[in-house]
Amino acid sequence: MTDEPKTTYKRVMLKISGEALMGDQGFGLHPPTVERIAREVQSVHEMGVEICMVIGGGNIFRGLQGSAQGMERTTADYMGMLATVMNALAMQGALEALGIHTRVISAITMNEVAEPYIRRRAVRHLEKKRVCIFAAGTGNPYFTTDTAATLRANEMSCEAIFKGTKVDGVYDKDPAKFDDAVRYDEVSFDDVLQKRLGVMDASAIALARDNDLPIIVFSLDEPGGFKGILAGEGTYTIVKD
């Protein structure tokens, strides 16, 4: 690797898509898959790393798709935010079954199922080694969970964003469609934007770039991948200036 992530990360953001929770199903939650991802988080938690999480909602409802089908965009986006809360609660259940204290923190107030987002309280949870799952995006329509993850990562003073995907890094083109796709070991924020490499949406990339927050893209399907990268091993792409 040209520039491996440092092994002394103390606090990180893990961003995964809602689709990551549905396994081989075409929709919804697949409990064995949720448990598998929870065990990946557990392995890093046991290293003493403080973990934030943001999970998308595309396995249940995606606001942009609802809008494309004629639904009013703001309403569709709020429905997508509620989907992320459902995923967060599922992950909380899986983590707490493993004995990991977890807090779901929602940008939309719903006191019966989640804490409201209060930055200093969330920081305190992390200091107490609780996993914080930030749900309901930013609480505003027109913003993706990628942007929400980058925003919360900055607010929580995370040292990096770990973006778990189905592939082991960032490629110059879709490796599922092109056999000659080339993986980057390292790529700049500006190249990601200019070449439209699809790491995260443009707002999230710009926010990470402006705050010097590296993004590490890795395969969530690789057993032990999350822990391995923190130990200086594995295959990944690091996005940085």
Side-chain angles (χ1 to χ4, degrees):
M1 290 297 163
T2 56
D3 192 350
E4 290 187 348
K6 55 186 177 181
T7 59
T8 56
Y9 284 135
K10 295 179 180 178
R11 183 177 296 170
V12 300
M13 167 65 73
L14 175 62
K15 168 61 172 73
I16 61 178
S17 67
E19 287 91 338
L21 303 186
M22 67 186 186
D24 295 329
Q25 302 175 154
F27 178 82
L29 290 157
H30 184 237
T33 299
V34 177
E35 181 183 353
R36 177 182 63 79
I37 295 173
R39 290 191 180 279
E40 293 286 321
V41 175
Q42 178 189 34
S43 68
V44 171
H45 183 267
E46 289 173 347
M47 296 171 70
V49 178
E50 297 170 3
I51 304 170
C52 305
M53 294 184 70
V54 168
I55 307 171
N59 57 318
I60 299 171
F61 188 87
R62 187 181 294 276
L64 196 58
Q65 291 179 351
S67 176
Q69 295 172 7
M71 185 175 290
E72 195 269 326
R73 174 65 188 270
T74 301
T75 298
D77 278 356
Y78 278 121
M79 292 173 67
M81 291 179 216
L82 297 179
T84 71
V85 176
M86 296 172 68
N87 285 337
L89 292 172
M91 182 57 64
Q92 179 184 42
L95 287 169
E96 295 204 331
L98 297 173
I100 299 172
H101 295 296
T102 308
R103 294 292 185 272
V104 173
I105 301 172
S106 174
I108 297 174
T109 303
M110 46 184 76
N111 292 330
E112 287 76 13
V113 297
E115 290 187 7
Y117 176 68
I118 300 171
R119 189 187 69 83
R120 294 177 70 90
R121 180 187 291 177
V123 169
R124 185 61 177 148
H125 286 320
L126 292 170
E127 291 171 347
K128 291 182 177 180
K129 306 303 180 184
R130 297 165 181 159
V131 174
C132 289
I133 307 175
F134 296 102
T138 67
N140 300 287
Y142 295 93
F143 289 93
T144 67
T145 51
D146 281 344
T147 301
T150 309
L151 173 64
R152 298 295 185 234
N154 279 299
E155 290 179 302
M156 295 297 106
S157 300
C158 292
E159 296 167 292
I161 298 174
F162 281 72
K163 176 73 182 289
T165 70
K166 292 185 177 296
V167 293
D168 58 357
V170 180
Y171 286 76
D172 61 346
K173 48 191 168 184
D174 189 346
K177 297 179 181 177
F178 300 95
D179 293 335
D180 60 344
V182 177
R183 185 181 58 80
Y184 297 95
D185 283 345
E186 180 180 319
V187 63
S188 71
F189 291 114
D190 288 340
D191 280 346
V192 167
L193 291 171
Q194 291 168 8
K195 297 177 182 179
R196 299 186 178 186
L197 296 177
V199 177
M200 287 180 163
D201 67 78
S203 296
I205 294 295
L207 185 58
R209 178 194 61 194
D210 293 348
N211 291 278
D212 196 24
L213 180 65
I215 301 169
I216 297 162
V217 183
F218 71 105
S219 173
L220 197 64
D221 293 335
E222 182 67 27
F226 188 20
K227 178 181 178 180
I229 294 171
L230 282 159
E233 304 168 354
T235 303
Y236 55 86
T237 298
I238 183 166
V239 184
K240 56 184 286 189
D241 273 331

